[in-house]
Amino acid sequence: MALLPRRAGTVLLGWLLALLAASAGVQAAGIPDLGPVPVVKRDSPLPADWARSGVFMEILVRAYQDSDGDGIGDLNGLTSRLDYLQSLGVRGLWLMPIFKSEDRDHGYAVANYREIEPDYGTLADFDRLIAEAHKRGIGVIVDYVMNHSASGHPLFESAYDSRKSPYADWYIFSEDKPKGWNTFAGEPWREGNQRWYYAVFDPQMPDFNLRNPKVVDFHLDNLRFWLNRGVDGFRFDAVGVLFENSAIAWENQPENHVLLKRVQDLLDDYGKRYMVCEAPSDPAPFAQPDSCGAAFGFGLQKHIIASVKLGRLRADLLYNLEKLPVARMGTLLANHDFFAGARLMRQFAGDEKSYKLAAATLLTLPGTPFLYYGEEIGLGESAPVAHDDQAIRGPMAWSAEPQGGFTRAAQPFRPLVSNWKTHNVATAEKQPGSLLNWYRGLIALRNAEPALALGRFTPLTTRDAPIFAFTRQHEGSTLLVLINYAYREANATLALAPAAAQWQVQFPAGAASVLAGQAGQLQVRMAPQQVLVLKAQP
């Protein structure tokens, strides 16, 4: 681990004390991830605004790069691809669950909160990943599941086996089946051992009783365990269902925000840490300072894609940009859950010009953009698979070589995606007009222009307009973004102070300006599905 020389002795002593304390808890309780963890602060080498000003890549480690030939992606494989991610301009990684899991797939059925999934490697491998990412100016946040554990977690096994277990009240049990419950997964009460337990997602993922202070302390200790190792923050799963009050009040309850604010305070105490929450049904309240502080802007991605497909600025997109706290939200076009949308290549039916419009919209709007691994090359879907989520979690395509450069094994853990021979990194690198180079150019522009990452958003066109025009302004710098969603040439008149001659094209490189006119009234004439970003010159 990388430590500052002048603090090495102090930090090492604190780290050893933390390990001894955790070990004592394990020996006393017989639970592998139970025991107090004191705070051991580590200075982060990242800039103070690294998370807000950068672009994240969401990565399923299992699907990214296999380093040992077993057909499964691992931490060392991901570390070997950090140079690529740095060249793309990514400044943050969100790792889907990397803890030991019962499902051995997506990782959300956690069996040990302080152990790396054996398929992925070891804690030493993880420490190396963090150190190497930091050397490249990349922060790493990990997925954390507070809502539930695996049914095979020793805590639940003890609670399930005996009503006299010291952990009997760590989960939610009922002697009789509660009536009238119907959640997004249907009936959440599961029968077992002559009583009922609450598991909103699946019988194999029982919900914690977060009204029990000991359960909350358990999670806070686990968060400190990873923060002490240098993790830069967390993505919190399913925060809308942390607390339930009744059969008709089981989602988005007030208690959720109280707990998340406590977690946010813990991260703030470490400094330069970032947390973002998943609450698909109502994300805005979780993006507030008295809650999670940041949340994914679910729904926005569908309005962006719909605007591109329809060839005009949808009213829903404009409305959400004006009403949601987008600047404090994680924005996306797709992710690992099929409910958020299929892979973009499927959604756009292979139309890369439309695909590029969606990417340009995402990367010029407010918020913190999260890309889904392979999005930048048009990664397709896997088949056959057991369910839709697995289809969009296929192996990354690095080249047209056998197994797409993902593994040297004869068989990867999941079938390669359908288009791996044509849409892979090696092929895209050689094509100036590829999706990869389009993404790279947009991310470079966002990294170079604080106005795109942090600036005020002002729309200049109204609903149903073919051209989406808006400005981003920050500390005296003004950028003008023009996106013609129409499949035909389109015109617009904009009320802007600088005259046409004062606007200089920033993206795409070498493009000609489409502006004419004097200050106060600019005429815009754009080609079909054209994107242009300009900067006002003094």
Side-chain angles (χ1 to χ4, degrees), residues 445 503-514 531-535 537:
L445 178 66
W503 293 95
Q504 181 177 332
V505 174
Q506 304 295 299
F507 180 87
S513 177
V514 297
V531 173
L532 210 61
V533 182
L534 307 97
K535 185 175 184 178
Q537 304 302 307

Side-chain angles (χ1 to χ4, degrees), residues 58-61 94-98 106 108 143 336 372 393:
E58 178 195 356
I59 291 175
L60 172 59
V61 173
W94 156 25
L95 307 186
M96 288 174 63
I98 57 169
H106 50 73
Y108 288 100
D143 223 319
H336 65 282
Y372 186 36
R393 302 173 188 172

